[in-house]
Amino acid sequence: MRIGELAKRTAVSERSLRYYEEQDLLYADRTPGGHRDYPESAVDRVVHIQELFAAGLCSAKIVQLLPCMRDGDGGPSASATPWLISELAEERARIDRQVDDLLRARQVLDEVISAAKGS
C-alpha cells in the first residue's frame, strides 16, 4: 500500500511515517517509480509504534523492542534477550514513577478543590 493509504488507515501523518522510516522503525519497498510500498503488516507495526511512543519510549528503545514483538497480535516473539527484558523493566519502572507522580498531583488538586468548595 502507498504511504497515503497507510496514513489514512492508522491515523498517522505521512510525515510521521517518513520519520519512522528514517529511524528504522518502519520499512517499505520502493516501486520502480520510487514510491513507498508498504506491506499489510505495516498497519499493525504503526499501531505498535504509536502505543510505544504513547508509553513514553524513545525511538531508539522502540527500534530495539520491535523485533521482539509479533505484528499480528503484539505478543512477544522468541527473540527477546535478557538485556532487552532488563531495559524494558527499567522503562516500566519509569512509567510506574510517572503514574505515582500523577496520582499525587491529582490528590493535591482534589484537596484544593474540596477546600475551595467548603469555603
Side-chain angles (χ1 to χ4, degrees):
M1 81 187 77
R2 296 276 175 94
I3 194 168
E5 182 180 348
L6 182 59
K8 183 178 178 181
R9 290 179 60 186
T10 59
V12 174
S13 71
E14 291 182 20
R15 182 175 183 210
S16 291
L17 295 175
R18 288 185 194 97
Y19 172 78
Y20 296 168
E21 199 170 334
E22 289 170 11
Q23 299 299 308
D24 293 327
L25 298 170
L26 186 63
Y27 300 95
D29 291 328
R30 297 290 180 154
T31 66
H35 296 281
R36 289 172 175 85
D37 185 26
Y38 294 97
E40 185 65 29
S41 62
V43 174
D44 289 332
R45 173 62 54 109
V46 170
V47 169
H48 291 317
I49 292 167
Q50 288 291 114
E51 291 170 342
L52 295 169
F53 273 129
L57 277 70
C58 66
S59 58
K61 193 70 69 179
I62 296 171
V63 165
Q64 296 169 342
L65 177 60
L66 282 175
C68 300
M69 297 176 71
R70 294 187 305 258
D71 283 335
D73 63 7
S77 74
S79 62
T81 65
W83 174 84
L84 182 59
I85 299 302
S86 173
E87 290 287 307
L88 294 175
E90 287 178 28
E91 287 294 329
R92 187 181 192 291
R94 182 189 59 76
I95 291 169
D96 285 343
R97 288 189 300 274
Q98 287 179 320
V99 167
D100 290 342
D101 291 344
L102 288 170
L103 289 171
R104 280 192 295 278
R106 184 176 70 183
Q107 182 178 355
V108 168
L109 289 174
D110 286 345
E111 291 169 3
V112 170
I113 292 167
S114 179
K117 286 181 177 179
S119 49

